[in-house]
């Protein structure tokens, strides 16, 4: 089975549990601090320019956005976090929405936590990672903005990310650059594998 990332459609924006999709298709949930490049990672994955919105006002959209890929899986865009300027009211909305999503751990097939390859993960990153851990499902960490690192910084930074998030050995940390495309194949492979273990990404279709 092959994943055709050209067949990508926006399905729904959910602001409450009643709007969550529960139709049995696998769901890959993307989470990350505002401005970490979550939209850029999604766009790179789908090879689109403006599919997920890049550079919007951070923290303004407390919604969960669902994209269906190739009619085989959902890419679930969880609202960004950690933007200092949002009101307490917005933070509470974020927490309620995220909590209600994770109250139903069966919703997530795969978690994709996006962190900044340049920095030690924040306390908020750790909280998000703990949400993923609590599901008992597979998750990966994407270390984005790799292009901003010197070669000598890559290994130590990846090790710091693994250590700070206290990741079990089986959790992959994927070095990624939404800007350059680094890591796209690896992430696509992990996502494809959740549909079917033998499902490799097919470059001709992508
Ligand atoms: P989001 O808030 O997490 O969705 O972040 P965006 O996708 O809007 O990206 C935030 C900013 O980081 C934008 O200016 C992007 O161009 C930039 N950005 C995202 N990914 C990368 C990357 O891999 N490398 C570099 N150099 N910049 C990136």
């Amino acid at each position: 089975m092959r994943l055709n990332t050209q067949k990508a459609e926006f399905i729904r924006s959910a602001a409450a549990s009643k709007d969550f999709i529960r139709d049995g298709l696998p769901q890959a949930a993307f989470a990350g601090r505002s401005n970490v490049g979550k939209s850029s990672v999604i766009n790179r994955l789908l090879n689109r320019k403006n599919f997920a919105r890049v550079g919007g006002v951070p923290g303004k959209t407390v919604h969960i956005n669902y994209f269906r890929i190739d009619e085989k899986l959902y890419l679930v865009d969880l609202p960004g976090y950690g933007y200092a300027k949002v009101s307490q009211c917005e933070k509470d909305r974020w927490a309620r929405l995220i909590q209600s999503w994770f109250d139903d751990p069966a919703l997530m097939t795969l978690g994709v936590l996006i962190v900044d390859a340049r920095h030690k993960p924040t306390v908020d990153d750790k909280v998000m990672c703990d949400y993923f851990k609590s599901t008992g499902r597979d998750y990966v960490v994407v270390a984005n903005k790799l292009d901003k690192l010197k070669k000598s910084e890559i290994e130590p930074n990846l090790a710091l990310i693994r250590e700070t998030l206290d990741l079990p050995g089986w959790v992959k940390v994927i070095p990624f650059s939404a800007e350059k495309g680094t890591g796209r194949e690896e992430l696509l492979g992990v996502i494809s594998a959740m549909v079917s273990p033998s499902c490799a990404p097919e470059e001709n279709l992508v």
Side-chain angles (χ1 to χ4, degrees):
M1 213 189 325
R2 292 164 176 169
L3 196 61
N4 180 359
T5 55
Q6 282 181 337
K7 277 175 75 184
E9 35 182 350
F10 172 75
I11 301 294
R12 177 184 300 175
S13 206
S17 176
K18 65 175 175 30
D19 302 320
F20 297 164
I21 294 177
R22 299 176 171 89
D23 64 2
L25 275 192
Q27 302 195 11
F30 284 60
R33 192 167 51 73
S34 293
N35 229 30
V36 72
K38 178 158 56 69
S39 312
S40 303
V41 169
I42 292 171
N43 287 332
R44 169 60 73 181
L45 212 51
L46 302 178
N47 273 340
R48 303 282 182 98
K49 280 254 177 295
N50 286 309
F51 197 68
R53 207 165 51 95
V54 175
V57 182
K60 275 287 167 202
T61 44
V62 184
H63 283 104
I64 293 177
N65 292 318
Y66 289 88
F67 305 99
R68 191 167 54 209
I69 314 299
D70 200 13
E71 287 162 24
K72 293 192 176 83
L73 61 91
Y74 290 105
L75 201 157
V76 183
D77 184 7
L78 299 176
Y81 51 81
Y83 185 60
K85 288 185 188 162
V86 303
S87 64
Q88 189 56 45
C89 177
E90 287 291 294
K91 286 182 187 166
D92 291 346
R93 276 185 58 198
W94 183 92
R96 276 200 304 275
L97 186 63
I98 290 293
Q99 188 60 57
S100 60
W101 199 76
F102 283 100
D103 277 347
D104 194 349
L107 288 176
M108 187 177 103
T109 316
L110 173 77
V112 180
L113 177 66
I114 302 166
V115 298
D116 193 319
R118 294 170 297 177
H119 308 301
K120 184 176 170 166
T122 64
V123 171
D124 291 329
D125 290 330
K126 285 209 245 183
V127 168
M128 198 67 228
C129 193
D130 285 343
Y131 271 117
F132 280 172
K133 283 179 190 167
S134 73
T135 64
R137 300 295 182 111
D138 281 355
Y139 62 98
V140 293
V141 175
V142 167
N144 190 38
K145 307 199 183 182
L146 193 79
D147 56 286
K148 294 202 172 192
L149 289 186
K150 289 187 209 134
K151 225 175 169 186
S152 61
E153 295 172 321
I154 295 176
E155 281 314 317
N157 283 29
L158 296 180
L160 182 65
I161 289 167
R162 179 171 284 287
E163 183 192 316
T164 309
L165 294 175
D166 197 14
L167 299 176
W170 55 267
V171 174
K172 284 187 179 170
V173 179
I174 301 177
F176 202 96
S177 166
E179 184 97 356
K180 306 273 186 219
T182 319
R184 177 175 179 271
E185 293 315 305
E186 189 174 0
L187 181 56
L188 208 50
V190 173
I191 293 171
S192 302
M194 83 185 198
V195 181
S196 144
S198 58
C199 175
E202 175 50 66
E203 248 330 291
N204 293 336
L205 294 172
V206 175

